[in-house]
Amino acid sequence: MAAETQTVTAQDVEDAFLRLQNTVKTTPLEKDHYLSKKYECNIYLKREDLQWVRSFKLRGAYNAISVLPASQQNKGITCASAGNHAQGVAFTAQQLNLKAVIFMPVTTPNQKINQVRFFGGTNVDIRLIGDTFDDCLKEALAFTDAHDMTFIDPFNNVNTIAGQGTIAKEIIETANNEQIEFDYLFGAIGGGGLMSGVATYFAEYSPQTKLIGVEPLGASSMFQSISQDKVITLQNIDKFVDGASVARVGDITFHICRKYLDHYLQIDEGAVCSTILDMYSKQAIVAEPAGALSVSALEQYKSQIKGKNVVCIISGGNNDINRMKEIEERSLLFEEMKHYFILNFPQRPGALRQFVNDVLGSHDDITKFEYLKKSSQNTGTVIIGIQLQNHEDLTALLKRVNQFDPKNIYINENKMLYSLLI
């Protein structure tokens, strides 16, 4: 069946809601006073980070699996995922007492593997195969065919989409009870399953709401596909926002999003990191990168949303604590607060003191310094990191660095050097 003829209706979402109501948590829709004050409007957060598996993916996985005929369920299910979808499938397999074989790339962090094992228990067989997701997916599909099992797609499946759409039903029910009409809704797009389901239900029950799909800048596969009016595959993606970094969106989700969504935003990964840190420090919310996308988008819409009612879907909270140093680093780079240089230092006593006195501002701080003295040369190469207190001091810093060493290399502008050295 052609993708454009496979669609989801509001009734499909209603049916999914009935299947899920005794299994999936009804997550809170909370007014956020910090964001509301910051953007001078009424902002509500749909807290899917508080779902049983800490993401919305459980909804789609459970609905897609529960509608399978008993004959298919008994043969078992499979999926390929390095994250939230795998946890949703594992949770469902244990709830329905089904056999599930979950394929994950060899590079998957132990934290995610352990979470899948925790939710699935003895019902789940985890296979670590392939260095990339594409290799893993290929093996999963071959295994599925060879063993006559059912593959559960994370987004390109009408039942998965309908399950994700139950978020919209919960939002609208709460809004009706509190007599709120939402002017805007922001939600993350990876493969498109979340916003396809939400948009389908909102089109029926809240058509006045503007629906904004938000993608990471380095993996904007839906925006690129919409722009070219066909599904395209991105050759290279930035995988940092792992829950929404998809090279190719679903054919079904493409047609639904093209029909219902009003706009698409692309958010720099550094801005996402700043949002994660802000949400943690100001609101005590632990959001994963994909979960922070919707809130990151508010900055680009601050003039349009002033005085309006806005809902942001916090799609997930599976953020590995080991990533926080990288998140802070990316945030500082995006905010133009941290800067790295390769400099030639004179090999004489007092050279560092001269640099501190002549180059550093009164509030600047050295965060990295690597120097290897070579007795046969007059100068030595230094890698230095400088953190500013105010990004407006950057112009003056660059001028002083250029005066100290006109041949310096500004590492921030060279991604290859940055990845290699920092």
Side-chain angles (χ1 to χ4, degrees):
M1 186 182 295
E4 59 268 27
T5 64
Q6 296 186 60
T7 189
V8 178
T9 67
Q11 185 58 54
D12 293 328
V13 175
E14 295 277 2
D15 295 341
F17 184 80
L18 293 176
R19 295 186 196 100
L20 272 56
Q21 62 182 351
N22 294 321
T23 301
V24 172
K25 181 188 292 187
T26 300
T27 54
L29 179 67
E30 305 172 335
K31 183 174 181 179
D32 189 282
H33 296 285
Y34 166 69
L35 291 173
S36 296
K37 183 177 181 180
K38 181 177 180 180
Y39 292 105
E40 300 180 74
C41 59
N42 300 308
I43 294 180
Y44 293 77
L45 304 181
K46 180 59 172 170
R47 298 291 305 278
E48 283 299 293
D49 58 302
L50 300 178
Q51 191 52 260
W52 299 124
V53 299
R54 297 188 66 189
S55 90
F56 73 96
K57 288 287 191 176
L58 173 59
R59 297 173 182 267
Y62 189 91
N63 191 56
I65 295 168
S66 64
V67 299
L68 294 174
S71 59
Q72 284 184 262
Q73 290 188 5
N74 292 337
K75 292 178 180 178
I77 55 177
T78 66
C79 79
S81 169
N84 294 337
H85 179 59
Q87 294 179 42
V89 170
F91 185 97
T92 303
Q94 188 176 63
Q95 289 289 308
L96 300 179
N97 195 25
L98 306 177
K99 177 186 176 182
V101 181
I102 295 178
F103 289 79
M104 308 178 81
V106 175
T107 53
T108 303
N110 283 332
Q111 181 256 357
K112 292 185 176 181
I113 297 170
N114 291 335
Q115 283 294 96
V116 171
R117 187 173 289 119
F118 170 77
F119 288 120
T122 57
N123 293 80
V124 168
D125 177 10
I126 299 173
R127 306 284 180 96
L128 300 178
I129 294 178
D131 293 329
T132 67
F133 175 76
D134 288 336
D135 293 338
C136 177
L137 175 61
K138 183 179 179 180
E139 292 292 336
L141 293 174
F143 180 91
T144 303
D145 289 339
H147 293 80
D148 195 23
M149 300 173 78
T150 300
F151 182 79
I152 306 301
D153 195 283
F155 47 81
N156 201 40
N157 178 306
V158 291
N159 294 309
T160 302
I161 294 167
Q164 320 300 27
T166 59
I167 293 174
K169 180 173 172 60
E170 291 179 10
I171 292 172
I172 290 175
E173 283 188 347
T174 302
N176 290 340
N177 291 337
E178 299 184 12
Q179 297 183 321
I180 304 168
E181 283 193 1
F182 284 112
D183 301 290
Y184 289 90
L185 179 144
F186 295 84
I189 293 180
L194 171 63
M195 286 305 288
S196 292
V198 168
T200 296
Y201 200 78
F202 264 77
E204 181 74 22
Y205 291 102
S206 187
Q208 79 283 354
T209 305
K210 298 291 185 184
L211 305 174
I212 315 299
V214 191
E215 296 177 281
L217 182 64
S220 56
S221 49
M222 182 65 80
F223 172 71
Q224 300 294 337
S225 296
I226 295 293
S227 299
Q228 299 186 38
D229 199 29
K230 63 180 181 180
V231 178
I232 64 167
T233 301
L234 301 182
Q235 297 305 308
N236 296 292
I237 61 173
D238 186 329
K239 297 180 181 179
F240 176 77
V241 185
D242 48 348
S245 296
V246 175
R248 182 183 177 89
V249 300
D251 296 320
I252 302 172
T253 58
F254 167 76
H255 290 288
I256 295 175
C257 286
R258 182 176 62 176
K259 181 178 180 180
Y260 291 126
L261 265 58
D262 295 284
H263 192 50
Y264 304 85
L265 290 181
Q266 301 80 53
I267 306 297
D268 189 285
E269 284 75 8
V272 174
C273 292
S274 295
T275 300
I276 292 171
L277 297 173
D278 198 45
M279 292 175 71
Y280 179 75
S281 62
K282 300 292 198 311
Q283 301 141 287
I285 296 175
V286 179
E288 63 184 78
L293 275 173
S294 60
V295 175
S296 298
L298 297 175
E299 192 65 25
Q300 293 190 33
Y301 257 73
K302 58 185 177 182
S303 61
Q304 294 98 312
I305 63 177
K306 188 174 181 179
K308 304 294 186 180
N309 293 323
V310 179
V311 58
C312 294
I313 300 173
I314 310 302
S315 59
N318 285 305
N319 199 357
D320 188 345
I321 192 67
N322 295 319
R323 302 183 71 188
M324 291 306 290
K325 287 195 69 174
E326 180 188 4
I327 289 170
E328 182 181 17
E329 177 79 4
R330 279 183 175 248
S331 173
L332 288 169
L333 291 172
F334 175 76
E335 302 288 346
E336 296 187 334
M337 301 291 284
K338 205 167 195 179
H339 306 274
Y340 294 94
F341 304 88
I342 297 177
L343 303 171
N344 287 307
F345 258 58
Q347 292 201 137
R348 57 172 169 74
L352 178 58
R353 183 181 296 110
Q354 178 190 349
F355 178 85
V356 171
N357 292 336
D358 295 349
V359 178
L360 253 60
S362 57
H363 299 294
D364 299 344
D365 186 25
I366 294 177
T367 61
K368 185 181 182 69
F369 190 88
E370 293 185 15
Y371 173 56
L372 180 63
K373 187 173 183 179
K374 298 180 179 179
S375 58
S376 61
Q377 298 182 16
N378 293 325
T379 61
T381 301
V382 170
I383 301 173
I384 190 166
I386 300 173
Q387 185 167 327
L388 306 178
Q389 193 174 79
N390 190 326
H391 72 89
E392 294 179 356
D393 295 335
L394 176 59
T395 300
L397 173 67
L398 292 176
K399 181 178 180 181
R400 295 192 297 268
V401 168
N402 287 330
Q403 290 173 342
F404 182 85
D405 177 15
K407 296 182 179 180
N408 75 86
I409 299 174
Y410 184 33
I411 301 177
N412 290 45
E413 295 179 341
N414 191 317
K415 286 188 176 182
M416 185 176 293
L417 268 182
Y418 176 85
S419 299
L420 179 66
L421 300 176
I422 311 299

